[in-house]
Structures are given as structure tokens and as C-alpha cells.
Amino acid sequence: MIKYICNQCSTTYPIDAIRYRCDCGQPLELQKSEIGFPIDQIARRSNTLWRYREALPITDEALIISLGEGMTPLVPFEHPTHDHRLKLDFVFPTGSYKDRGAAILLSKVRELGVREVVEDSSGNAGAAIAAYSARAGLDCTIYCPASTSKGKLTQISMYGAKLKLIEGNRAATTQAVLQTAESIYYASHNWNPFFLEGTKTVAFEVAEQLGWKAPDHVICPVGFGSIYLGLYIGFRELHAQQVITKLPRLLGVQSAACPPIYTAYAEKQSQIERSPQTYETLAEGITSELPIRAEAIINAIRETNGAFTIVDEEEIKAGIKILAAKGIYIEPTSAVIVKAFDKFVAGGIIREGDLTVSILTGSGLKATDKLMKLDT
Ligand SMILES: [Zn+2]
């Protein structure tokens, strides 16, 4: 039987509809039963993330909520000296990888018999939760900062979700939703561990697309860490089941505007300290001043021999243009990986002959307003 567990104080709880954190205040993880990867069977299944169903925490297949998500393309980046491949993880129904988390989380919500959810998001996660709630026929309310771009708010409300606009910064929005979460299921992409059970499937896909092999490195943008931790959980499960023989090094990228994880990494701190955002960055999807799962991120860096770097605004702009010139139109948050790759090469972390996969997390169509102003 699957349970919640707190890695801070070791308390376990049954999975229930209202609890979203430990009584000690820490986020919860899942204590799982046996999982499996029947590789021959997986190869014959449909091209969605549900092909890994033995590793997913949904018991009743009839309750699965799906829009056919998953198995996004993995394409070469055509680098002159290095084998660098791009996982186009924005090729999803709502335009971002957050659909991985939303599909698993909303399927779990249906299993629990819940009819109503709340979430707070300034963008892609809100759209994903709203879309899959619509698909599941659930009532959904999304709390957003009042400053959220009209385009993102339109996508969320088109799915039929109720919008609550909160004045003030992103933290004020979270504060507002936490009161509601006392009585309504909190479908949080940061607090709810079932969300990470979805994002971990990117690791399964990368391994399968490489012939059930781990790359040497995986690079991704990191704010709260839902893709970074998904990669960590996913590759660990593959390794524990001896499907792959080593863990890839997980390389994270933050914006110089708000780099709490990078700072902890660079200064060899054992804890991540709050890092107030110093300027408005194009990479708005990764501006977390203090990630909720800070402890887990530190563990993931340590266990995978991972590394972090930062990029500035000019480097983000350059990344957008370099990718677009190769036919890949992505939102600025994803573009951080391009110059970060060069920095990891210059720092001797990525070497010639290594195989690196970078995760591109959101479509450029999500950020038309920002991309229109790129050269002004
Ligand atoms: Zn605890």
C-alpha cells in the first residue's frame, strides 16, 4: 500500500484527500511498493507515458485521465564537437512538460474520489492542472498573481477553471491558496508528490529512446525543481531495477536573477538559503527564491555528482535565437540550457565524447508577448 512519508521526521501517513504536507511542515514523499519495467511489453504499448504503467502509482486503469501525453521527440542538436541531444518536452497538449505531472496527479485525484481541486501557478502548471481537470470533469480553481500575462490567464480560463487573481508577488498568491487548501484538495505542482511521479517519466523516455541506456549528463532549467527531481526519481528507479547501469549527472541551470540552488552549490553549502529575486528575468518559470523541496534537490546533486550554473539575460536571448535558427521555438525559461551547455563544457564537466541530453520544457507560443520584445 502506497503511503506518504516525511524524510525529515520519518512520519508516515495514509494517502488522503486533504493532507499536503507533514505535521512538521515539510513536503511529503511517497513510500512506494514494488515497481517494474517489463521492457518487451513496454515496446509493444502505445506511445504515451502510460506505457510505463508498472512504475506509476495509479492502480485503477479505468480512472486514468489522459490526452495521449508523453514520448516527446529526442533530436540531435548538431554540435560540432559534442553529442548533445534535445528532448522536445514542450510537445504536449498544453505546450509544456507540466502535462506529465498533471496527468498522473489528476488520475490520482479521481482515484481518491475528489471532485474539486485548487492550485497556484503563474503559468504552465496552472494551464496543465486546468486542462486535465477539465478532462476529468472536476471543479478547478487556479490562484495567479494579478500581474500574470493575459495569454496565460486566457489559456487557463478557456479550460473552464475559475481564476483568482491575487495582488502582490508570487509569494502572496501561495499564501492565499494555502488557506483554501485547508478544505479543498491542493493539486500543487510543488507540494504534491504525485506531480513528480509524472515528471519522472521523462527519465524513462530518455533511457528508452537511447536503447535503455542513461546519457552521461542531463541538463534542465531549475526553479522549484519539478523536472530536476523528476529526472532524479526516474533515473534512480531505472537504476534500482538494473535497467540502466549508472545514473547520469544531473546539471541544473538557474537565472542569475534568482539563483538559490546555484549559490548553495557554488559555495558548497549543505542547505539552500532564500535568494531574493534581484531583477525581472526572461526566464520567469524558474524564479523560485527558496524551493520547497530544497533538501531533496541537495541530495540529488550529491548522489548524481550533479552541478549547477547560471545564465544572464543576454545568454538567455542568445539561446532563444540559436534554437530558433535550428527550427526550435521555445519559451525563454527553456533557452537557458544553450549557454549553460557551453559553461559546463568550459568548466570541464562535459567532455568530448560524452552524451548529453537537454530538456526543453515550454513552447515559445506560451511567451509571444516576451518574445516580441526581445530586441527592444
Ligand atoms: Zn515531518
Side-chain angles (χ1 to χ4, degrees):
M1 193 64 174
I2 191 166
K3 281 183 180 167
Y4 285 139
I5 182 163
C6 171
N7 279 351
Q8 197 73 34
C9 68
S10 303
T11 310
T12 62
Y13 303 93
I15 305 295
D16 86 18
I18 289 299
R19 176 172 295 283
Y20 72 89
R21 64 179 166 187
C22 182
D23 288 342
C24 80
Q26 287 298 307
L28 294 164
E29 302 197 23
L30 295 177
Q31 193 176 51
K32 284 175 277 193
S33 41
E34 196 74 356
I35 61 163
F37 296 95
I39 284 169
D40 293 345
Q41 290 177 45
I42 289 170
R44 292 194 293 270
R45 292 176 183 162
S46 68
N47 259 339
T48 75
L49 57 79
W50 296 100
R51 65 203 270 110
Y52 310 109
R53 66 179 70 122
E54 290 85 358
L56 299 174
I58 305 298
T59 30
D60 189 345
E61 276 192 40
L63 295 178
I64 286 174
I65 301 298
S66 177
L67 290 163
E69 58 287 321
M71 232 2 147
T72 56
L74 182 68
V75 301
F77 196 1
E78 299 164 19
H79 196 281
T81 53
H82 288 81
D83 188 353
H84 187 190
R85 304 187 200 184
L86 303 172
K87 179 76 169 155
L88 308 188
D89 228 35
F90 54 89
V91 184
F92 272 105
T94 78
S96 90
Y97 80 96
K98 300 262 162 106
D99 290 2
R100 293 187 186 278
I104 304 296
L105 175 49
L106 271 301
S107 297
K108 194 69 203 175
V109 163
R110 281 235 299 193
E111 261 191 4
L112 291 170
V114 169
R115 303 292 317 152
E116 189 179 5
V117 301
V118 289
E119 152 79 317
D120 57 313
S121 162
S122 53
N124 294 340
I129 297 289
Y132 283 82
S133 293
R135 189 75 178 171
L138 302 175
D139 279 345
C140 173
T141 304
I142 309 286
Y143 284 63
C144 296
S147 59
T148 304
S149 77
K150 292 264 185 303
K152 288 186 167 168
L153 294 178
T154 301
Q155 187 184 10
I156 292 170
S157 60
M158 284 295 283
Y159 292 127
K162 292 189 265 309
L163 277 175
K164 289 255 195 223
L165 298 183
I166 307 296
E167 294 298 332
N169 60 11
R170 181 69 181 80
T173 302
T174 302
Q175 206 48 46
V177 82
L178 287 181
Q179 287 163 11
T180 314
E182 302 285 317
S183 56
I184 298 175
Y185 190 89
Y186 189 21
S188 168
H189 62 292
N190 294 321
W191 282 98
N192 197 307
F194 287 104
F195 196 88
L196 296 179
E197 290 295 301
T199 59
K200 78 179 183 184
T201 57
V202 69
F204 303 163
E205 290 179 20
V206 167
E208 185 178 358
Q209 287 167 319
L210 296 175
W212 292 110
K213 210 176 71 176
D216 297 299
H217 314 274
V218 183
I219 306 179
C220 67
V222 185
F224 279 94
S226 63
I227 196 82
Y228 193 83
L229 290 174
L231 287 162
Y232 174 58
I233 296 169
F235 280 115
R236 263 178 94 202
E237 289 182 358
L238 290 165
H239 190 242
Q241 299 295 315
Q242 295 167 337
V243 177
I244 57 174
T245 54
K246 60 160 191 191
L247 293 175
R249 294 182 77 173
L250 297 183
L251 309 181
V253 192
Q254 298 211 283
S255 163
C258 188
I261 307 170
Y262 167 75
T263 304
Y265 164 77
E267 295 178 7
K268 298 188 169 53
Q269 297 162 354
S270 59
Q271 284 192 328
I272 298 170
E273 307 287 341
R274 180 179 297 278
S275 166
Q277 187 173 343
T278 48
Y279 58 88
E280 197 179 327
T281 171
L282 282 164
E284 61 177 6
I286 50 172
T287 54
S288 143
E289 296 187 345
L290 180 62
I292 288 165
R293 296 181 182 276
E295 184 102 9
I297 292 170
I298 291 283
N299 285 342
I301 297 170
R302 195 182 310 125
E303 207 180 307
T304 69
N305 192 19
F308 267 73
T309 191
I310 45 172
V311 291
D312 65 22
E313 299 303 288
E314 290 310 310
E315 290 166 331
I316 295 171
K317 286 182 195 173
I320 294 168
K321 290 176 180 172
I322 289 166
L323 284 167
K326 303 261 185 202
I328 297 170
Y329 187 57
I330 41 138
E331 65 176 355
T333 301
S334 294
V336 299
I337 61 98
V338 178
K339 289 295 166 183
F341 177 88
D342 295 344
K343 291 183 177 188
F344 288 128
V345 170
I349 289 170
I350 296 176
R351 286 173 299 202
E352 241 173 275
D354 288 354
L355 169 56
T356 304
V357 172
S358 288
I359 314 291
L360 300 179
T361 50
S363 163
L365 299 173
K366 292 269 201 173
T368 305
D369 52 339
K370 288 204 164 190
L371 292 165
M372 280 166 70
K373 292 183 227 148
L374 214 54
D375 287 318
T376 58

